[in-house]
Amino acid sequence: MTVVEGRSGPGTIALQTVGCKLNQAETDSLVYRFREAGYQIVAPNRAADIYLLNTCTVTHIADHKCRKLLRLAHRRNPHSIIVVTGCYAERAPGELSSIEGVGVIIPNSDKDNAVEIVKSIDGFRTNGQKNSPHRIPSHTRTLIKIQEGCQQHCSFCIVPRVRGPERSYCQDDIIAEIKTRVTAGYKEVVLTGTRIGRYRQPGGLEGLIRRILEESDIQRLRLSSLEPYDLTPALVQLWDNKRLCPHIHLPLQSGSDSVLTRMRRPYSIAEYRRAASLAQEAIPNLALTTDIMVGFPGESDSEFEESYGFCEDIGFARIHVFPYSSRPGTCANEFADKVEDREKKRRTQLMLSLANTASRQFQERFLGQNVNVLWEENKNGIWYGTTDNYLHVNLSSRESLSNELRTATLVALGDSGMWGKLTDTSELQPTPLCNSFSI
């Protein structure tokens, strides 16, 4: 284990995340805590005294990306302390410890103690000073963990094993953290967790959202992901408040009932359709996004066609497509009748083509409309940002727009989102749009 000599105080630390919004929320929290401990936060592509990677292990692709980043960090600075935490660290610490340069492995169960663990092996003398709240440059939204853990045990998923049982965090603590982030300059908060619909503090998720909207000044509140059974009429009614972003991510996984049964997903296609329709009819301009898996063991041609047709019917704003990946320790890993890689790749390409078409059709609905955009970063003279319903917007402007909510008119479609131009109005005057998709 490496100890840095010759420093009288905390040095630099780079934090990087692979995986889901829950991982990103935990990294956001660690950034604040490391800064309070006196560390200087630097970009992951810089040589830092400490490099911390928050890992994902949901697929073999995620595993590969984590290993690649760790090797790159060691090449960038062979003398840095490399710290690994997250789901990969929980599932296979031995694999990670064999990677050259990795010095500290922190399982999920100890992630909340990461700052103290790093300080204990870093070898500096802290001066006890704290920094005031500070927004990370180029970041305009922040993620806050409200729940973690899963007891669903879908047959393909490793998450229950690496995240543990369900637990929910105190409402008062969540609201206090949101207020801290607002003070730091953030304009959008994303509530995240393994299954946020299972938030079980008094009042549930509905009660938490009401309190956040009533007690904080956050300008945008976004939910990371819900399940079909979470979308009750009472919850959907909360979107009457325009600060709650009209964007719902509703994982599907498969559009075939027989595949959903083998996956152990706790809903039918009919139940999913009812939940989607409820939200689409009640929430103006809703972006409904989803995850879809192809090539699950035993998925026949007809089951894939069912899934394809269902996605086509719903009218998703965005579809995240991924091929099935075997995970040791899951039931599906033992299933027979695996789909051949060549066929899995063919189905993935077909579904990706559908995803591109669906995304373009959703974007076309908003051409010519005035929308509020939270502008994030400038790359090579082009600003990019997002609308409340998660449209990605590009804009050429000499103005400094970072972390500003400004109105733009959407004028064209592009490969990386929509193109807009700033309007002269300071207040958004939206043109009425239809309240639902036709399904």
Side-chain angles (χ1 to χ4, degrees), residues 22 39 63 72 78 81 122 170 185 205 214-215 236-237 250-251 259 302 343 345 370 373 388 418-419 430 434:
L22 176 56
Y39 286 90
D63 287 352
L72 178 62
I81 301 172
D122 189 19
C170 171
L205 180 61
E214 291 171 359
E215 299 178 29
V236 169
Q237 189 177 2
L250 201 66
V259 175
S302 61
E343 177 61 16
K345 183 176 181 180
N370 291 338
V373 181
D388 57 359
M418 305 191 74
W419 285 87
C434 60

Side-chain angles (χ1 to χ4, degrees), residues 139-184:
H139 284 63
T140 57
R141 74 172 57 86
T142 184
L143 296 92
I144 291 181
K145 179 170 66 173
I146 67 170
Q147 179 275 345
E148 68 176 313
C150 180
Q151 293 166 201
Q152 175 56 43
H153 293 282
C154 297
S155 63
F156 59 84
C157 188
I158 195 68
V159 170
R161 176 179 162 187
V162 296
R163 282 287 179 180
E166 295 171 1
R167 58 262 191 214
S168 302
Y169 294 92
C170 171
Q171 287 190 7
D172 290 343
D173 292 343
I174 293 168
I175 292 169
E177 186 62 31
I178 289 173
K179 290 179 178 179
T180 297
R181 306 286 174 95
V182 170
T183 301

